[in-house]
Amino acid sequence: MSDGSSWSRPRAVPGAHSSHSPALVAGHHGLHLYWKGPGADERLFHAAFDGRFWIPGQALFNGWPGAGRDRTIRLCPSPDGTVWNPRNILPGPQSAAGSWPSVVGRSGAGRADRLLLAWPDQNGAVWCALSQDAAQHWSQPAPVPARTLRGVAFAGWDTVDAYAAWAVAPDGDYSIFWADTTGSTVWRHPHTGHLLQHGQGRLDERASLREPAMAAHGHMWR
């Protein structure tokens, strides 16, 4: 894919098998793919693409005891997306997640990473929290006008915005919704800029049984 419209034929990533949706991120001269092991395998795996070939997947973490029952949020930093230290685990907000959380961040010279984290609780309500110091401290979890049974997708765009997308509402509506997170824990309608209300930001004629994915492409101007 070069423009978001024209796609190459699908190719299998060597050694990649997952029972959940994978995550893909661009950085450090390539693409990085992360996924959970198949079935009851709680390990996390990683593979990298250099523009021509995939480096075969390898396990990053061996999981945590009782991971299937533990709903607390943890974060782990990496300098390059490849080297990870499972002993360097940072706690997230003091809140339980009903599904997997999503995080988007910005960094700059002389500044600690600024992170925005979002997650659905066990009732499908979406919450978010902000860290200004690389996950050392978090704001109080704030509710946002979104409901989903799955995760929330984030896409950072330039240095201005991040966008959020979600699907599979608890009331059986499988539409896809999106929001502008310029205000961090205060989300807005992506077109009008007004404070988002429940049910707003629907993408016409778009529906999904699973959580959507997003990526930034090109430039946005305000």
Side-chain angles (χ1 to χ4, degrees), residues 21-110:
S21 299
L24 186 66
V25 63
H28 294 277
H29 310 293
L31 293 174
H32 297 270
L33 180 69
Y34 304 92
W35 69 94
K36 174 192 171 296
D41 189 346
E42 295 290 346
R43 292 179 297 170
L44 299 180
F45 291 81
H46 166 260
F49 183 67
D50 63 6
R52 295 186 303 163
F53 304 104
W54 282 98
I55 299 172
Q58 58 182 339
L60 293 175
F61 304 124
N62 290 325
W64 289 276
R69 298 181 299 275
D70 188 351
R71 296 293 182 178
T72 58
I73 299 174
R74 300 181 178 92
L75 298 96
C76 183
S78 171
D80 59 5
T82 302
V83 178
W84 297 81
N85 180 1
R87 292 181 294 276
N88 186 15
I89 302 297
L90 299 173
Q94 297 299 312
S95 182
S99 183
W100 42 86
S102 301
V103 65
V104 64
R106 298 185 189 137
S107 60

Side-chain angles (χ1 to χ4, degrees), residues 137-172:
H137 302 88
W138 291 92
S139 66
Q140 284 294 112
V144 294
R147 297 185 65 81
T148 178
L149 293 178
R150 298 290 182 178
V152 177
F154 276 140
W157 202 323
D158 285 347
T159 59
V160 180
D161 279 303
Y163 286 101
W166 61 95
V168 192
D171 59 5

Side-chain angles (χ1 to χ4, degrees), residues 82-206:
T82 302
V83 178
W84 297 81
N85 180 1
R87 292 181 294 276
N88 186 15
I89 302 297
L90 299 173
Q94 297 299 312
S95 182
S99 183
W100 42 86
S102 301
V103 65
V104 64
R106 298 185 189 137
S107 60
R111 297 186 305 175
D113 291 337
R114 180 176 184 270
L115 303 175
L116 179 64
L117 182 74
W119 66 95
D121 64 21
Q122 294 182 348
N123 296 317
V126 177
W127 299 76
C128 66
L130 182 68
S131 173
Q132 300 280 12
D133 56 5
Q136 298 296 323
H137 302 88
W138 291 92
S139 66
Q140 284 294 112
V144 294
R147 297 185 65 81
T148 178
L149 293 178
R150 298 290 182 178
V152 177
F154 276 140
W157 202 323
D158 285 347
T159 59
V160 180
D161 279 303
Y163 286 101
W166 61 95
V168 192
D171 59 5
D173 183 351
Y174 297 104
S175 298
I176 297 175
F177 299 83
W178 69 311
D180 184 337
T181 72
T182 300
S184 301
T185 58
V186 179
W187 293 9
R188 299 181 179 274
H189 191 287
H191 293 308
T192 67
H194 297 156
L195 294 179
L196 193 75
Q197 304 295 322
H198 279 286
Q200 292 184 336
R202 185 195 305 264
L203 289 174
D204 294 335
E205 300 180 357
R206 300 290 189 272

